[in-house]
Amino acid sequence: MGGPRVTLPFSDAMADSIVRLSDLTLGYRRHPAIHHLSGGFRDGSLTAVVGPNGAGKSTLLKAMVGALRPLDGRVTLHGLTPADIAYLPQQAEVERDFPIDVLDTVLLGHWRRVGIFRSIGGALRRRAEEALAVVGLSGFERRPIAALSAGQFQRVLFARMLVQDARLILLDEPFTAIDARTTADLLDVVRRWHGERRTVIAVLHDLEQVRSHFPDTLLLAREPIAWGRTVDALAPANLVRARAMAEGWPEKGDDKAGPCRRAEP
Amino acid sequence: MTLYEFAVDPFLEFAFMRRALAACLALSLGCGPVGVLLVLRRMSLMGDALSHAVLPGAAIGFLAAGLSLWAMGIGGFLAGLAVALLAGLVSRVTALREDASFAAFYLISLAGGVLIVSLRGSNVDLMHVLFGTILAVDDDGLLLVAGIATVTLLVLALLYRPLVVECFDPGFLRAVGGSRGRLGALCHLVFLVLVVLNLVGGFQALGTLMAVGLMMLPAASARFWAEGIATLALTAMALAFASGIGGLLLSFHLNLPSGPSIVLAAGAAYLLSLALGPVGSLRTRWFPGRHPAA
């Protein structure tokens, strides 16, 4: 590809990265969605993943939770087990009319501690109620989730992640189709996680939101365009380049694409 | 005829009616909660497909040992399980979706089963296998149905939490469930075994064509009465048992075949629930009443 090569500030040499990506290539049915991504997410960092549609942002999160096996390269978690990761998928495959109430949904966040058989005592229940208070849903404990709006349900999912108490939190477009007030409240929760030195990685579209709330950004267009401080990563030249790359993508599948050039020796 | 004579006398007077009543109770206890979970998992039609899939196994059992309950039960169980697993496997390794491959396998099974029975047995035998005879349930049959209900309730109690989460939010269970994300798949498999077991229990009372009736109709009706999973299961059990009693009495007094009577009683309960139940029924839609302020 034309243009100057990006030097990625968080290289493999960074010792304090909690997730390290090494020459990572991801895709579905042999069609790569991400090429040769290397770098690391610092422990305690708050990073936005930004890029045009089809840039491989969601794919990257799926690979980090282990739901997608890399075509090439690998994801290394440092000092983390899968139980230390909380993941909010873009469209959670949740049955929204399932007969379960808000508190029970939030209590699922305790799964790592209670598993299949252990009972949930008063202390764990109180933590779930506190989490509901943090997301502004006190008093909703016994509401069935079918009776909630999309924004309220997203608050419930954030409360469940609060209860999960995970060290790495992955959010895939958490504020899409969510009203402004809910977004502001949930951004407060994200800030709180950042203050607690948890690592948060969020796929986002709203660049203003990214600039004002996320210190670090990974700009992705199937290849990494920029990765570093948000002000640098979202510089106009980088955005133009990301858009130019997206325009080069075929509309449907890239069956005619040859093998990846850089994969060859 | 007084109500007592109508509703109680048949059971006091005839042992076969008492057995049939006990069989209905056992069936209701197992089928109620299993049916509710099937509805919640959007697998109602899969229950129907599986009930037909039981037939060839039962038919082979019948070929081997005549009208032996155990041979037909075990054969039916294996055939049902094989179809469930094959359909799941095909949907995983090919482009065909699971419901379509279920339909394909159960049609093959049903046709094969009818063919096998007709090779050897008379039309009476075929009717027996297809439509069941709850009024002829013997001690062995009762033990089988009661044993299946017991196993079902124990397993459901044991796996309640992951089963519910697997219905509600399978992605979450994959992420947190451990066993490298396979807990959900394991629960699904155990659940399918329970479905097939209960169909085998129902098949001997209601026949393969209608075994699923006492599973799905009360479960579907329960959605109009209850809103929690536990209350749904209890409602489904109660409705199934009530349909069993109603169907048996109908069958006794009007000299009708028992299987269709029971399923029709469950069908009547479903239509009543649909019209009049307090949760999301036609009544609540057309006459919403006053809603709370919040």
Side-chain angles (χ1 to χ4, degrees), chain A residues 82 92-95 97-100 105 108-109 111 114-120 143-145 153 157 160 164, chain B residues 40 42 158-159 161-162 164-165 167-178 183 223 227-229 232 294:
Chain A
E93 29 178 349
V94 178
E95 285 278 335
D97 57 357
F98 195 83
I100 187 171
T105 308
L108 288 179
W111 189 282
V114 298
I116 302 180
F117 300 118
R118 260 157 291 161
S119 69
I120 294 174
R143 286 272 176 106
I145 59 158
F153 187 64
L157 293 182
R160 184 169 74 178
Q164 269 184 280
Chain B
L40 289 177
R42 298 171 186 249
L158 213 56
L159 291 183
R161 201 177 279 168
V164 166
V165 180
C167 296
F168 165 55
D169 190 353
F172 183 76
L173 189 65
R174 264 200 306 281
V176 303
L183 184 63
R223 294 271 340 211
E227 285 181 289
I229 299 166
L232 278 170

Side-chain angles (χ1 to χ4, degrees), chain B residues 62 117-128:
Chain B
F62 169 73
V117 179
S118 62
L119 276 184
R120 202 14 224 287
S122 64
N123 270 346
V124 179
D125 293 329
L126 184 61
M127 291 296 279
H128 185 95

Side-chain angles (χ1 to χ4, degrees), chain B residues 138-182:
Chain B
D138 56 6
D139 281 349
D140 269 1
L142 265 187
L143 277 176
L144 182 76
V145 178
I148 287 172
T150 309
V151 169
T152 304
L153 291 180
L154 284 178
V155 172
L156 284 182
L158 213 56
L159 291 183
Y160 181 74
R161 201 177 279 168
L163 268 175
V164 166
V165 180
E166 225 260 319
C167 296
F168 165 55
D169 190 353
F172 183 76
L173 189 65
R174 264 200 306 281
V176 303
S179 318
R180 279 182 275 149
R182 293 207 200 105

Side-chain angles (χ1 to χ4, degrees), chain B residues 45-119:
Chain B
L45 289 175
M46 235 162 258
D48 190 34
L50 273 179
S51 78
H52 298 341
V54 166
L55 184 60
I60 291 171
F62 169 73
L63 267 193
L67 278 174
S68 146
L69 176 65
W70 288 99
M72 289 169 68
I74 292 170
F77 175 70
L78 292 178
L81 205 58
V83 166
L85 293 180
L86 275 176
L89 192 69
V90 165
S91 72
R92 245 159 231 116
V93 299
T94 71
L96 200 61
R97 290 173 58 110
E98 193 164 17
D99 58 337
S101 61
F102 251 102
F105 276 110
Y106 102 74
L107 285 168
I108 296 172
S109 300
L110 185 60
V114 170
L115 207 71
I116 294 172
V117 179
S118 62
L119 276 184

Side-chain angles (χ1 to χ4, degrees), chain B residues 221-293:
Chain B
S221 315
R223 294 271 340 211
F224 297 110
W225 297 98
E227 285 181 289
I229 299 166
T231 42
L232 278 170
L234 288 174
T235 312
M237 284 179 185
L239 284 172
F241 189 44
S243 313
I245 297 174
L248 283 177
L249 289 173
L250 211 65
S251 146
F252 179 85
H253 289 295
L254 302 180
N255 202 15
L256 299 171
S258 58
S261 303
I262 292 173
V263 175
L264 277 179
Y270 168 75
L271 291 176
L272 273 176
S273 309
L274 175 81
L276 300 175
V279 184
S281 65
L282 295 175
R283 177 178 64 98
T284 60
R285 179 152 294 189
W286 289 337
F287 307 99
R290 290 168 60 90
H291 59 80

